[in-house]
């Protein structure tokens, strides 16, 4: 097995073993104001605290997209987020209300999100690619009262079907306003930037609701509380190795948890300069972002690395990428070839990290000062106990495969699934453990090795997609009688979405129909939920109770044995 040794350096986590033995989450609390007051606000600690401690003039945000190029200091962000907090107050948002943000990456997204948290709301970030149905189900479930969006996206919000949604704030020039629609820029201008908007929260008050997919049922609202910040802070310090002089770039969108925990809170709690880039992926733009901003620490995902890896090498030769000192990855298995590519191109190891929307922050990681076993996700963060357990909740010895589980009670653990206790309790079926749904094993040195999901959840291009939501949408199409959706292994994207579709007898296959079905998903649900492949078939494998057996579809697809078929209908 290949082991990559660490480079010498003065890292913030210099000795993993001793940190593991002496670390306590309680020690971290003292960094923040609330160790004295007992009250907390993650937005205050991320932004205002730096101003209070004399770092107000420091660059906090370097924003760029094809049409904008802007820099914001902590002082400026403090004022703008105060204004945003006052704006939400003025629009009758109260502590605990859900405020959703549905727009492409732009400074206003971050300002609105932090402003809403500052005044005590629970924010729900929505990925800009979501279409009407995806937006509706999330707003319906969360009973959000306010949403911040853009004139381009507003038509995807079915206001009339959402009785709880009272106000829509539009970010853009010359927006049309009425009793329900407000202009972000006008409302912001009318608000002061004083600190009185800060709502001091309890440790266990909620601040974010991230909707994420499971293998069954609708997307679920994963609810996190303010004190999650101590884990955002400490993991960003010890795993990302962030310091105040770092220029850090996390490529994830805040619609996904990586884009908030490590696109907003981790870096800003540590006072680092945060690079945010809008617009779509392109190798030239990405390398240019690193060069232009002198990015030192870079957090991205295997799919992005694979896409960069497959671009001709003369592209990368145009850029000076020597500012980079640390690279990390999350979201899918990090293939050894990618790590080798990273080493060749950047002369740095790529550090894998494992965690989930539900876990709120990193749990199993590789560290700058530790050897990396190529292909392993690394070792548990100090203060975290991870184990492999069997289907009865019993701990398994090293090298045996089983359920990857975490000893319950870490700071950034989700506190509930919104309005769904039953779903929440499913994660904690074994006394004392959170069960992740991933299968893995731990080797004799305590490194964890990812083996797969033990449910039908699909990770495509680093994004988490539930087969159920796509299947439900497919059968809404008039030509479709039944549908089963799986992830099919793919070299670049990890998995692609593949649908098996049974047509209604009144419809026949045609290329147009296939296109029409794909467009239907794209326009009703979202672009990233569109099946790349559709296979039309006469019948789907089902249990006697009528449940589609995705694992059999998967076995068909991969030409593998389908396993136990005793529950299958004839
Ligand atoms: C997968 C993303 C392999 C895993 C932060 C998990 C990974 C799911 C890794 C959560 C990794 C995450 N290696 N697989 N390093 N990190 N995953 O909620 O299956 O979007 O359960 O959170 O991504 O995806 P989510």
């Amino acid at each position: 097995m290949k082991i990559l040794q660490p480079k010498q350096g003065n890292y913030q986590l210099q000795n993993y073993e001793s940190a593991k033995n002496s670390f306590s989450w309680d020690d971290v609390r003292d960094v923040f104001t609330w160790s004295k007051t007992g009250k907390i606000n993650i937005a205050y600690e991320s932004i205002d605290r730096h101003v209070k401690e004399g770092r107000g003039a420091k660059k906090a945000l370097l924003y760029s997209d094809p049409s904008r190029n802007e820099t914001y200091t902590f002082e400026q962000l403090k004022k703008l987020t105060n204004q945003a907090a006052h704006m939400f107050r003025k629009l009758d948002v109260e502590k605990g209300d859900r405020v959703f943000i549905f727009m492409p990456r732009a400074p206003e997204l971050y300002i609105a999100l932090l402003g809403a948290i500052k005044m005590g709301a629970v924010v729900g970030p929505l990925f800009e690619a979501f279409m009407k149905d995806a937006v509706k189900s999330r707003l319906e479930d969360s009973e959000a009262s306010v949403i911040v969006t853009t004139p381009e996206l507003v038509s995807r919000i079915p206001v009339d079907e959402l009785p709880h949604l009272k106000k829509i704030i539009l970010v853009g020039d010359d927006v049309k306003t009425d009793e329900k629609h407000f202009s972000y820029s006008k409302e912001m201008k009318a608000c002061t930037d004083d600190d009185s908007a800060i709502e001091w929260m309890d440790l266990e008050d909620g601040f974010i609701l991230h909707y994420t997919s499971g293998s069954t049922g609708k997307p679920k609202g994963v609810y996190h509380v303010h004190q999650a910040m101590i884990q955002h802070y400490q993991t960003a310090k010890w795993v990302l190795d962030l310091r105040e002089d770092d220029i850090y770039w996390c490529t994830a969108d805040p619609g996904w948890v990586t884009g908030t925990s490590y696109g907003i809170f981790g870096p800003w709690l540590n006072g680092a300069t945060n690079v945010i880039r809008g617009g779509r992926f392109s190798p030239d733009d990405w390398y240019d972002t690193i060069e232009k901003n002198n990015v030192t620490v870079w957090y991205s995902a295997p799919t992005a690395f694979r896409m960069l890896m497959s671009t001709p090498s003369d592209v990368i030769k145009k850029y000076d990428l020597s500012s980079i000192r640390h690279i990390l990855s999350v979201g899918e298995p990090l293939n050894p070839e990618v790590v080798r590519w990273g080493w060749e191109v950047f002369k740095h190891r790529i550090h894998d990290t494992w965690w989930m929307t539900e876990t709120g922050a990193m749990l199993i990681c590789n560290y700058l000062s530790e050897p990396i076993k190529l292909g392993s996700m690394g070792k548990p963060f100090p203060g975290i106990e991870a184990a492999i357990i069997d289907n009865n909740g019993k701990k398994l010895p090293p090298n045996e495969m089983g359920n990857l589980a975490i000893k319950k009670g870490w700071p950034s653990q989700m506190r509930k699934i919104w309005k769904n206790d039953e779903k929440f309790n499913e994660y904690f079926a074994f006394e004392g453990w959170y069960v992740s749904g991933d299968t893995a094993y731990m080797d004799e040195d305590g490194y964890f090795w990812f083996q797969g999901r033990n449910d039908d959840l699909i990770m495509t291009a680093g994004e988490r997609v539930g087969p159920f939501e796509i299947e439900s949408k497919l059968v809404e199409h008039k030509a479709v009688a039944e549908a089963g959706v799986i992830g099919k292994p793919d070299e670049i994207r990890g998995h692609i979405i593949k649908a098996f579709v049974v047509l209604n007898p009144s419809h026949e296959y045609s290329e147009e129909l296939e296109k029409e079905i794909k467009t239907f998903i794209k326009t009703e649900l979202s672009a990233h939920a569109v099946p790349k492949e559709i296979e039309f078939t006469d019948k789907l494998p089902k249990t006697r109770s009528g449940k589609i057996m995705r694992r059999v579809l998967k076995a068909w697809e991969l030409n593998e044995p389908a396993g136990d078929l005793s529950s299958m209908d004839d």
Side-chain angles (χ1 to χ4, degrees), residues 148-425:
V148 180
T149 188
T150 64
E152 290 76 26
L153 299 183
V154 70
S155 63
R156 299 186 200 163
I157 305 169
V159 198
D160 300 336
E161 299 163 41
L162 295 163
H164 294 275
L165 188 64
K166 299 282 185 291
K167 286 168 185 141
I168 298 177
I169 304 175
L170 293 160
V171 179
D173 302 324
D174 303 323
V175 299
K176 282 205 190 76
T177 59
D178 55 30
E179 69 281 359
K180 262 200 167 168
H181 296 78
F182 298 82
S183 152
Y184 172 87
S185 54
K186 265 193 214 138
E187 296 300 324
M188 282 284 280
K189 258 184 224 134
C191 290
T192 65
D193 59 16
D194 68 64
D195 290 348
S196 68
I198 300 174
E199 181 78 37
W200 291 106
M201 310 292 283
D202 286 324
L203 307 187
E204 289 292 307
D205 281 335
F207 80 101
I208 205 164
L209 197 53
H210 263 296
Y211 276 84
T212 191
S213 304
S215 59
T216 55
K218 289 202 163 193
K220 49 199 175 194
V222 176
Y223 178 82
H224 289 288
V225 297
H226 278 260
Q227 70 165 317
M229 64 178 253
I230 69 173
Q231 195 164 340
H232 298 149
Y233 169 80
Q234 195 64 25
T235 51
K237 194 179 169 92
W238 279 358
V239 185
L240 301 175
D241 196 47
L242 286 184
R243 293 158 219 253
E244 279 172 32
D245 58 0
D246 272 310
I247 298 172
Y248 163 79
W249 182 31
C250 167
T251 61
D253 186 275
W256 315 107
V257 73
T258 309
T260 58
S261 293
Y262 297 101
I264 299 177
F265 304 109
W268 278 336
L269 286 165
N270 282 279
T273 299
N274 201 10
V275 172
I276 287 163
R277 188 188 164 278
R280 297 181 147 257
F281 171 87
S282 103
D284 270 294
D285 283 354
W286 274 38
Y287 290 137
D288 183 54
T289 300
I290 294 173
E291 182 185 83
K292 176 174 79 191
N293 295 298
N294 291 306
V295 170
T296 57
V297 180
W298 185 32
Y299 195 19
S300 194
T303 294
F305 294 132
R306 286 190 293 263
M307 284 175 3
L308 292 173
M309 210 170 123
S310 64
T311 47
S313 59
D314 52 320
V315 175
I316 193 163
K317 287 204 186 100
K318 290 189 278 179
Y319 299 93
D320 176 2
L321 306 172
S322 59
S323 57
I324 295 235
R325 69 170 182 90
H326 186 22
I327 311 175
L328 304 100
S329 171
V330 65
E332 320 151 59
L334 180 61
N335 335 66
E337 307 95 86
V338 176
V339 180
R340 282 190 208 103
W341 165 83
W343 183 259
E344 260 167 47
V345 173
F346 298 97
K347 300 286 175 294
H348 291 294
R349 307 182 301 178
I350 300 182
H351 295 68
D352 197 11
T353 62
W354 177 90
W355 56 293
M356 307 174 65
T357 307
E358 292 86 337
T359 74
M362 298 170 184
L363 294 177
I364 295 177
C365 313
N366 287 286
Y367 310 90
L368 273 162
S369 54
E370 284 291 296
I372 290 178
K373 292 193 184 186
L374 210 56
S376 157
M377 307 191 290
K379 296 188 280 193
F381 192 81
I384 298 296
E385 184 184 342
I388 304 298
I389 63 175
D390 67 13
N391 290 336
N392 301 312
K394 203 175 113 263
K395 251 194 196 180
L396 290 170
N399 298 317
E400 278 190 39
M401 199 163 116
N403 302 299
L404 173 53
I406 308 291
K407 186 49 81 53
K408 137 181 173 186
W410 65 95
S412 68
Q413 178 189 300
M414 65 170 168
R415 295 302 196 266
K416 58 184 172 192
I417 297 286
W418 192 257
K419 291 198 303 197
N420 196 339
D421 292 343
E422 198 186 320
K423 255 269 130 54
F424 180 80
N425 293 332

Side-chain angles (χ1 to χ4, degrees), residues 32-34 37-49 85 89 95 113-121 197-203 205-207 226-227 229 265 269:
F32 302 104
T33 314
W34 50 283
T37 62
K39 290 284 182 178
I40 186 170
N41 193 308
I42 186 172
Y44 170 87
E45 302 288 354
S46 300
I47 305 294
D48 301 31
R49 182 171 56 92
R89 276 259 166 74
K95 179 177 164 180
L113 186 144
L114 287 163
I117 294 172
K118 232 180 197 182
M119 55 75 55
I198 300 174
E199 181 78 37
W200 291 106
M201 310 292 283
D202 286 324
L203 307 187
D205 281 335
F207 80 101
H226 278 260
Q227 70 165 317
M229 64 178 253
F265 304 109
L269 286 165

